[in-house]
């Protein structure tokens, strides 16, 4: 959510900053801006709208100062405080000598603003960030690190910050609490960002700041202190994915590319983690010995959005196969409702980004209450990965499309492996374990079979692209798939879509059905199919057009629906994956036919770092 880039070194800063902003645009696209040390002062350019608008403005304004600047900061915004206008765009300046960009929320901005106004500061925007810029200026006596440290001590809330001063050439200061800052180390130059994808083109050597770290960076030198001024050193890590992974690779949209990557990403997720001889999963990152496994009395999964939907599959699979209680809970609710959690609970925090504020808050709550907390995270080195300290990385590679696809299928793959591991430590036979391993190993192939039907799914989408409302229904393992299918459709096509348990529809929502409200029914082969077919008949009796997701060759299901997409047969816990991929493609094609901004849907941003 929002993207920060900063550069200091020997080369012109603008190309680094603009390239970084383009890479980070998926984190917010309401406005963009840069501030540069130029000549004796600071040069500021910002625009409402996408990064391209900023690029055009910079081209028009081309100047020697702009081209010659070797230190600057830049930002792409997802609006929190104040609408997406030019004035509210970052960077924010104070007294023409401090420029600052910020991710996160300054919670006590109102009281600070009042005080700063009384001290004579003039506010040009409605943002909490401008408050921070003036606060830093109010502490500034020639040392920006000291001033930022003093300001941040007065701040409540979360921040990833980068700032520069007109009076300290080449000095870039960054800090974090709750919003990530990654420092990319080059030779005689440093590029900082809120996300490694803005850095990878230039260097793989990075330092991740910890919460309450402040760093002074000059060319290639990085000096880190904590907010209480204690010098600290943070380890250098190497980014293990390539710049190509964050490119579109010939696809029209990142979303389509990421959907098509899934056979490979699932292979990466399961590689080396299955023991086919012993019929179990090897998940050493969980750091759970046999004794720990035996002690666990309940599994609790927390996450948001798509990650929570994946968590529900985990809940079902653990109860189904391992035979002990599992629950999934919205991370946002977990923290505030005083949940009963203790040392016998295993809490699994699921997050693609590893930065989602609600999930992070749930992690902290669970840790405080003594639970064993593990992370299922995609982004290496992210806050949730580090705070949980144990878990399973998804290895799905960078997910750039705002709508999550490949992260979901990798999350489900890991959850199935967790269910297998727990089941084998309790009640599952070796033979059944070996079969389960084969079921997981078959997942990439099942996805390939769905992808082969892309053209047909695009045709089916044509019949549904003009509706404005839709319901998705499913039972058992297909219930979370219905939730995820509806989420995907609404976020990228703006069709109002609701996922419901198939049986729930008649408890209210059925009142909405008519001939222009289609129902997407998950009719995969399995125990819930006949009952769901009954629900389909109820919908048809109200004239709703039905799209069935059916098992390949299922004549009965085919004859009961108006349109269908076939998915290959798999046992239901595994069928979640091909069924979801079919719905991802369906949403994609509907959104495309409606001319939507698929990779950057309105009002959304990747990685939600505010509560
Ligand atoms: C939907 C989507 C969101 C995220 C949610 C959690 O396509 O992307 O619902 O799943 O914001 O994000 P992570 O997984 O990064 O915690």
């Amino acid at each position: 959510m929002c993207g920060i880039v900063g550069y200091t070194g020997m080369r012109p800063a603008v190309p680094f900053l603009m390239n970084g902003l383009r890479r980070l645009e998926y984190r917010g696209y309401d406005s963009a801006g840069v501030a540069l040390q130029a000549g004796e002062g600071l040069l500021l350019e910002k625009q409402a709208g996408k990064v391209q608008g900023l690029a055009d403005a910079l081209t028009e304004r081309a100047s020697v100062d702009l081209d010659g600047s070797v230190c600057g900061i830049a930002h792409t915004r997802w609006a929190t405080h104040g609408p997406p206008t030019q004035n509210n765009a970052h960077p924010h300046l104070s007294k023409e000598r401090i420029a600052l960009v910020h991710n996160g929320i300054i919670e006590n901005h109102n009281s600070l603003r009042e005080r700063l106004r009384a001290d004579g500061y003039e506010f040009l925007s409605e943002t909490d960030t401008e408050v921070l810029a003036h606060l830093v200026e109010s502490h500034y006596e020639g040392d920006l690190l000291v001033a930022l440290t003093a300001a941040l001590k007065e701040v409540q809330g979360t921040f990833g910050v980068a700032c520069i001063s007109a009076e300290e050439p080449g000095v870039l200061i960054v800090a974090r609490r709750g919003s990530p800052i990654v420092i990319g180390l080059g030779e005689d130059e440093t590029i900082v960002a809120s996300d490694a994808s803005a850095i990878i083109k230039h260097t793989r050597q990075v330092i991740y700041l910890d919460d309450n770290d402040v760093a002074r960076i000059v060319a290639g030198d990085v000096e880190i202190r904590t907010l209480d001024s204690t010098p600290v050193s943070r380890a250098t890590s190497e980014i293990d994915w390539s710049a190509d992974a964050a490119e579109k690779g010939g696809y029209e949209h990142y979303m389509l590319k990421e959907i098509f990557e899934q056979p490979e990403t699932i292979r990466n997720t399961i590689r080396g983690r299955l023991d086919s001889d012993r019929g179990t999963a090897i998940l050493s990152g969980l750091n759970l010995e046999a004794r720990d496994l035996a002690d666990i009395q309940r599994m609790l999964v927390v996450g948001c959005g798509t990650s929570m939907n994946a968590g529900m599959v985990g809940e079902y699979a653990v109860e189904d196969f391992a035979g002990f209680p599992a629950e999934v809970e919205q991370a946002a609710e977990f923290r505030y409702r005083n949940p009963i959690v203790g040392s016998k609970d295993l809490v699994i925090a699921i997050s693609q980004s590893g930065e989602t504020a609600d999930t992070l808050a749930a992690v902290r709550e669970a840790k405080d209450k003594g639970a064993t907390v593990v992370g299922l995270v995609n982004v290496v080195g992210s806050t949730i990965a580090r705070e949980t300290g144990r878990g399973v990385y998804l290895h799905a590679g960078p997910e750039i499309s705002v709508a999550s696809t490949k992260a979901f299928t990798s999350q489900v793959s890991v959850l199935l492996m967790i269910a297998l591991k727990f089941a084998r430590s309790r009640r599952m036979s070796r033979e059944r374990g070996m079969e389960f391993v084969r079921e997981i190993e078959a997942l990439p192939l099942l996805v390939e079979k769905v992808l082969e039907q892309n053209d047909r799914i695009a045709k089916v989408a044509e019949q549904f692209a003009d509706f404005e409302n839709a319901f998705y229904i499913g039972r058992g393992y297909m219930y979370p798939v219905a939730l995820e299918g509806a989420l995907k459709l609404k976020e990228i096509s703006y069709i109002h879509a609701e996922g419901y348990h198939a049986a729930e529809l008649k408890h209210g929502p059925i009142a909405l059905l008519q001939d222009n409200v289609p129902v997407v029914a998950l009719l995969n082969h399995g125990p819930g199919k006949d009952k769901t077919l009954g629900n389909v008949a109820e919908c048809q009796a109200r004239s709703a057009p039905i799209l069935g997701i059916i098992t390949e060759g299922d004549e009965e299901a085919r004859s009961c629906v108006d349109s269908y997409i076939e998915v290959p047969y798999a046992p239901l816990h595994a069928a979640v994956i091909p069924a979801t991929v079919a719905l991802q493609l369906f949403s994609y094609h509907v959104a495309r036919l409606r001319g939507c901004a698929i990779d950057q849907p309105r009002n959304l941003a990747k990685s939600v770092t505010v509560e």
Side-chain angles (χ1 to χ4, degrees), residues 170-215:
V171 177
L172 174 62
I173 309 289
V174 291
R176 76 157 273 169
R177 181 196 294 155
S179 270
I181 292 286
V182 189
I183 301 175
L185 306 168
E187 232 172 76
D188 295 332
E189 63 186 359
T190 303
I191 175 160
V192 302
S194 48
D195 177 328
S197 54
I199 290 177
I200 180 84
K201 194 168 167 226
H202 310 290
T203 176
R204 287 168 174 279
Q205 304 298 316
V206 294
I207 296 174
Y208 296 98
L209 284 192
D210 275 0
D211 270 355
N212 298 313
D213 282 352
V214 190

Side-chain angles (χ1 to χ4, degrees), residues 303-309 350-357 359 376 384 399 401-405 407 411 484 487-488 491-492 604-608:
C304 301
T306 289
S307 294
M308 186 181 69
N309 293 340
I350 308 188
S351 176
Q352 187 287 128
S353 61
E355 302 293 348
T356 300
T359 311
L376 252 67
I384 293 174
E399 191 179 66
S401 163
V402 167
S404 187
T405 54
Q411 287 162 348
E484 177 58 11
L487 175 60
K488 239 28 5 141
E491 68 182 324
I492 61 166
L604 292 175
K606 197 86 176 155
S607 184
V608 183

Side-chain angles (χ1 to χ4, degrees), residues 462-508:
E462 286 172 14
Q463 300 159 39
F464 292 88
D466 293 331
F467 293 113
E468 292 307 325
N469 296 284
F471 284 95
Y472 282 61
I473 57 170
R475 287 168 181 265
Y477 284 102
M478 291 300 136
Y479 173 43
V481 176
L483 297 180
E484 177 58 11
L487 175 60
K488 239 28 5 141
L489 187 71
K490 76 182 119 193
E491 68 182 324
I492 61 166
S493 75
Y494 315 143
I495 292 174
H496 172 230
E498 296 296 338
Y500 268 92
H501 190 281
E504 264 300 300
L505 213 59
K506 57 186 171 295
H507 296 289

Side-chain angles (χ1 to χ4, degrees), residues 20-182:
L21 284 189
R22 287 203 171 87
R23 300 271 179 173
L24 295 186
E25 196 166 22
Y26 73 111
R27 297 180 69 108
Y29 25 86
D30 288 336
S31 62
V34 294
L36 301 160
Q37 288 176 339
E40 298 281 282
L42 296 176
L43 192 150
L44 177 72
E45 182 64 64
K46 50 191 195 177
Q47 295 289 327
K50 301 211 170 181
V51 171
Q52 189 52 43
L54 174 67
D56 295 343
L58 286 171
T59 311
E60 268 175 38
R61 154 172 202 170
S63 71
V64 176
D65 277 351
L66 192 148
D67 293 342
S69 174
V70 293
C71 180
I73 53 177
H75 191 264
T76 175
R77 176 172 186 246
W78 183 82
T80 57
H81 293 64
T85 59
Q86 186 177 27
N87 273 359
N88 288 334
H90 302 207
H92 289 282
L93 252 53
S94 183
K95 300 208 170 156
E96 301 294 322
R97 63 171 182 167
I98 304 292
L100 182 143
V101 291
H102 162 233
N103 290 353
I105 289 186
I106 307 298
E107 285 166 5
N108 55 339
H109 66 101
N110 281 331
S111 57
L112 290 169
R113 185 183 287 107
E114 267 172 42
R115 195 184 88 198
L116 289 159
R117 261 204 189 113
D119 291 346
Y121 285 93
E122 199 191 327
F123 284 83
L124 303 175
S125 79
E126 296 146 81
T127 64
D128 51 340
T129 302
E130 191 181 12
V131 172
L132 185 57
H134 290 320
L135 191 62
V136 173
E137 205 285 335
S138 73
H139 286 285
Y140 190 64
E141 289 175 0
D143 187 329
L144 190 54
L145 181 120
V146 171
L148 181 65
T149 304
L152 293 178
K153 282 186 177 164
E154 294 193 61
V155 155
Q156 287 154 20
T158 55
F159 48 79
V161 186
C163 56
I164 52 173
S165 154
E167 294 168 22
E168 294 174 71
V171 177
L172 174 62
I173 309 289
V174 291
R176 76 157 273 169
R177 181 196 294 155
S179 270
I181 292 286
V182 189

Side-chain angles (χ1 to χ4, degrees), residues 429-446:
S429 70
R430 180 158 167 255
E431 286 65 36
R432 177 65 186 103
M434 289 161 76
E435 194 184 333
F436 204 103
V437 166
R438 286 194 292 277
E439 288 160 6
I440 295 175
E441 283 172 343
L443 292 173
L445 214 68
L446 297 177

Side-chain angles (χ1 to χ4, degrees), residues 193-239:
S194 48
D195 177 328
S197 54
I199 290 177
I200 180 84
K201 194 168 167 226
H202 310 290
T203 176
R204 287 168 174 279
Q205 304 298 316
V206 294
I207 296 174
Y208 296 98
L209 284 192
D210 275 0
D211 270 355
N212 298 313
D213 282 352
V214 190
R216 182 205 309 269
I217 305 162
V218 188
D221 292 331
V222 179
E223 170 203 341
I224 307 174
R225 298 187 198 171
T226 57
L227 271 187
D228 60 12
S229 299
T230 313
V232 282
S233 72
R234 302 287 176 218
T236 303
S237 327
E238 178 150 338
I239 301 173

